[in-house]
Amino acid sequence: MTTQYKQTNTNGLTARNLNVAVVGGGLVGSLFALHLGKKGHTVDLYEYREDIRTAELVIGRSINLALSARGRKALAEVGLEDALLQHGIPMRGRMLHDLRGNRRIVPYDANTNQCIYSVGRKHLNEVLLDAAEKYPNINLHFNKKLQSANLDEGEMSFVDPTTKESTQTKADLIVGCDGAYSAVRKEIVKRPGYDYSQTYIEHGYLELCIPPTKDGDFAMPHNFLHIWPRGKFMMIALPNQDRTWTVTLFMPFTNFTSIKCDSDLLEFFRTYFPDAIDLIGRERLIKDFFKTKPQSLVMIKCKPYNVGGKAVIIGDAAHAMVPFYGQGMNAGFEDCSVLTELFNKHGSDIDRILAEFSQTRWEDAHSICDLAMYNYVEMRDLVTKRSYLFRKKLDELLYWLLPNTWVPLYNSVSFSHMRYSKCIANRKWQDKILTRVLYFSSIATVAAAGYLGYKYGSMDLVQHYSSSVLQLLRLK
């Protein structure tokens, strides 16, 4: 039987203690357990893997994480922001590598020099689990895989993957934080009227590593996200505390399968990433590339996120996305903040809390999934285009002149708490304004050219400006 006691939330509403089962002990699950534990709820955290604090890191699935404003806020709410920032490495912009090995810096925010932080997945998970373990009302359970659940009744059956021992339990609230292939969501999908889509892209990823230099330093300037944009594919590198770099190669599976031997691989890198061969090391490149198979990338959209007041899914279980905006973790952490705010607002009215979360959050989640797909095109291709660089400079200028009105898309996503759907709407508004300005400026230019041509009898001048304006409008 659930032990209940009274607690008071930030609005002064009296709320009862809940017995909550959080399924999934990864980043989002362990953070939300902290949010609930801090509010006085009894939390049982179930993780199907062994304790990551004593397990070896699995190579090939540990894409580094980019911590930004939304994630920082959720960590600050449980007192962990400063500890993670001290560990993280600030990245103030992108450093682009061309085919000749030349590098160009594109800052994230040229006006205020804001940055994102490279953090290790394993370290962050360990910090969250260590913090959760200190709460007497948070219980950690490892090697517990959800086998089945009656969400309406709050009943769950777990099995130990190693011993095959089964465990039955019950909770007032079930929170699914068990990733893109969520067992909790699998139960929700069975229900009528549920919207769900799963999309695999034709591109996969494979992880490599750049070691420190012989004197133990970073092999490249470390306060940047390094990108090798190559149009149809790309490679990125994020710095680690031990002076290594986590390098991730993203490209179509057809490209991966065309590389069958050492010579194929070296020829491929000589053609597209020549400067990376010496950075990684020839032998290490060959070893790491053929050690594991390229991994898939999936995007998941669904709604609603709740089953009445009994169950809810958050993080990748609700909105898995491709990693190209660095918002997967941040969006999951923001789920924790949004739910905590609703707990503060509605006390222990779980039906109302979950319904409002589901109704308001899905649009933002779908928006960031779409933005993440767009940003892959930007990172692998658009960052090399003059039109992209011109627009970025223009955005920076307008942001400097009108900081409360003109917020560039990347800044609104990574350095603010603006709703993701609002970020997209804001960008569309900006595009509309610029289109109108360009149109009317073009008309004025043609009119001025016509007047001068008429006045001075030079129709060549009119034709020149008219053709230039038409070309600009077509580009737009």
Side-chain angles (χ1 to χ4, degrees):
M1 180 178 294
T2 302
T3 302
Q4 298 182 354
Y5 62 87
K6 299 294 183 181
Q7 56 170 300
T8 303
N9 66 17
T10 55
N11 281 345
L13 297 174
T14 300
R16 67 184 179 90
N17 169 257
L18 297 170
N19 180 16
V20 183
V22 175
V23 181
L27 301 177
V28 175
S30 52
L31 177 60
F32 193 51
L34 282 168
H35 276 253
L36 292 170
K38 185 179 179 182
K39 294 185 70 64
H41 298 293
T42 300
V43 182
D44 284 284
L45 182 66
Y46 297 94
E47 169 56 42
Y48 83 91
R49 299 170 298 181
E50 61 182 310
D51 190 339
I52 195 172
R53 293 170 294 181
T54 59
E56 293 185 6
L57 182 64
V58 178
I59 301 298
R61 62 180 307 273
S62 58
I63 293 178
N64 270 41
L65 304 166
L67 178 64
S68 54
R70 300 169 198 270
R72 289 175 59 177
K73 177 187 176 186
L75 290 169
E77 289 166 347
V78 293
L80 291 177
E81 180 188 19
D82 290 340
L84 269 303
L85 291 186
Q86 289 174 10
H87 172 83
I89 299 174
M91 299 183 295
R92 307 195 180 282
R94 298 166 174 168
M95 183 168 283
L96 309 181
H97 296 239
D98 67 16
L99 287 169
R100 297 181 179 179
N102 299 316
R103 302 171 183 176
R104 181 174 72 242
I105 295 173
V106 180
Y108 289 130
D109 187 343
N111 297 328
T112 60
N113 203 31
Q114 296 189 87
C115 63
I116 59 178
Y117 289 81
S118 174
V119 294
R121 180 187 299 273
K122 187 172 188 289
H123 174 79
L124 177 52
N125 208 164
E126 289 172 345
V127 169
L128 293 171
L129 290 172
D130 286 342
E133 206 165 42
K134 294 176 182 178
Y135 280 77
N137 53 320
I138 299 178
N139 307 299
L140 307 182
H141 308 275
F142 298 101
N143 294 309
K144 299 295 181 183
K145 183 177 181 179
L146 182 65
Q147 224 176 4
S148 62
N150 183 336
L151 300 181
D152 292 304
E153 299 298 327
E155 298 172 346
M156 295 156 288
S157 176
F158 293 91
V159 63
D160 187 317
T162 56
T163 66
K164 307 304 179 183
E165 180 182 354
S166 296
T167 304
Q168 281 71 43
T169 187
K170 190 172 183 179
D172 300 318
L173 171 64
I174 299 172
V175 184
C177 309
D178 48 342
Y181 305 101
S182 168
V184 177
R185 189 188 63 238
K186 183 178 178 182
E187 295 295 329
I188 302 178
V189 169
K190 298 175 183 177
R191 308 174 77 88
Y194 193 75
D195 292 332
Y196 171 76
S197 69
Q198 174 179 286
T199 305
Y200 283 94
I201 68 172
E202 62 181 11
H203 296 236
Y205 73 92
L206 190 145
E207 193 172 283
L208 304 168
C209 178
I210 293 177
T213 61
K214 291 181 179 179
D215 57 1
D217 202 358
F218 282 105
M220 302 182 293
H222 65 280
N223 290 126
F224 301 94
L225 168 64
H226 288 253
I227 307 178
W228 289 257
R230 297 297 181 260
K232 296 296 184 181
F233 50 85
M234 71 173 183
M235 191 165 69
I236 67 172
L238 281 81
N240 298 311
Q241 281 288 341
D242 61 1
R243 305 296 194 272
T244 64
W245 292 83
T246 299
V247 181
T248 311
L249 175 60
F250 298 96
M251 65 181 182
F253 282 104
T254 52
N255 290 84
F256 278 115
T257 55
S258 68
I259 301 174
K260 303 181 182 300
C261 61
D262 297 1
S263 59
D264 289 345
L265 175 62
L266 293 174
E267 181 60 29
F268 176 77
F269 265 74
R270 289 191 195 103
T271 302
Y272 295 107
F273 310 111
D275 62 326
I277 297 176
D278 289 338
L279 291 169
I280 298 173
R282 183 178 179 276
E283 298 303 320
R284 182 163 193 163
L285 171 61
I286 294 171
K287 177 183 176 183
D288 289 351
F289 187 90
F290 292 108
K291 181 189 297 183
T292 58
K293 294 181 179 179
Q295 305 294 304
S296 298
L297 293 167
V298 66
M299 177 176 69
I300 288 172
K301 295 179 179 179
C302 60
K303 66 173 182 175
Y305 296 145
N306 68 304
V307 175
K310 299 299 294 185
V312 66
I313 52 175
I314 63 176
D316 281 356
H319 44 71
M321 65 194 72
V322 292
F324 305 116
Y325 224 119
Q327 287 296 303
M329 173 190 69
N330 290 286
F333 281 8
E334 190 175 57
D335 289 344
C336 300
S337 292
V338 172
L339 274 169
T340 298
E341 290 169 5
L342 291 173
F343 271 92
N344 292 338
K345 179 180 178 181
H346 298 305
S348 57
D349 190 346
I350 304 301
D351 290 85
R352 193 172 178 184
I353 290 169
L354 300 191
E356 186 170 333
F357 173 78
S358 193
Q359 290 164 7
T360 58
R361 189 60 175 164
W362 74 264
E363 186 176 5
D364 295 319
H366 288 196
S367 295
I368 189 56
C369 284
D370 293 337
L371 281 172
M373 284 298 300
Y374 161 78
N375 214 46
Y376 185 29
V377 179
E378 178 176 303
M379 292 175 71
R380 78 188 191 211
D381 188 26
L382 298 184
V383 290
T384 64
K385 307 294 185 184
R386 290 183 179 180
S387 57
Y388 168 84
L389 297 172
F390 173 77
R391 173 59 188 268
K392 183 167 179 59
K393 290 293 184 183
L394 181 59
D395 276 335
E396 289 172 356
L397 174 61
L398 293 171
Y399 186 36
W400 178 71
L401 292 171
L402 305 165
N404 297 320
T405 304
W406 195 278
V407 182
L409 177 62
Y410 189 89
N411 297 63
S412 65
V413 171
S414 297
F415 304 131
S416 84
H417 303 289
M418 184 187 297
R419 290 183 58 176
Y420 289 123
S421 55
K422 175 64 176 174
C423 294
I424 291 181
N426 189 53
R427 175 67 173 210
K428 290 180 178 178
W429 170 80
Q430 292 172 351
D431 289 343
K432 189 175 182 180
I433 293 295
L434 290 179
T435 299
R436 287 181 176 179
V437 169
L438 177 61
Y439 177 78
F440 287 113
S441 298
S442 302
I443 294 298
T445 300
V446 171
Y451 171 76
L452 292 173
Y454 173 79
K455 184 175 181 180
Y456 297 105
S458 175
M459 292 309 295
D460 290 340
L461 182 65
V462 178
Q463 292 174 352
H464 170 73
Y465 277 102
S466 297
S467 62
S468 297
V469 167
L470 286 172
Q471 186 177 7
L472 281 172
L473 289 174
R474 288 193 194 101
L475 288 173
K476 188 62 183 175

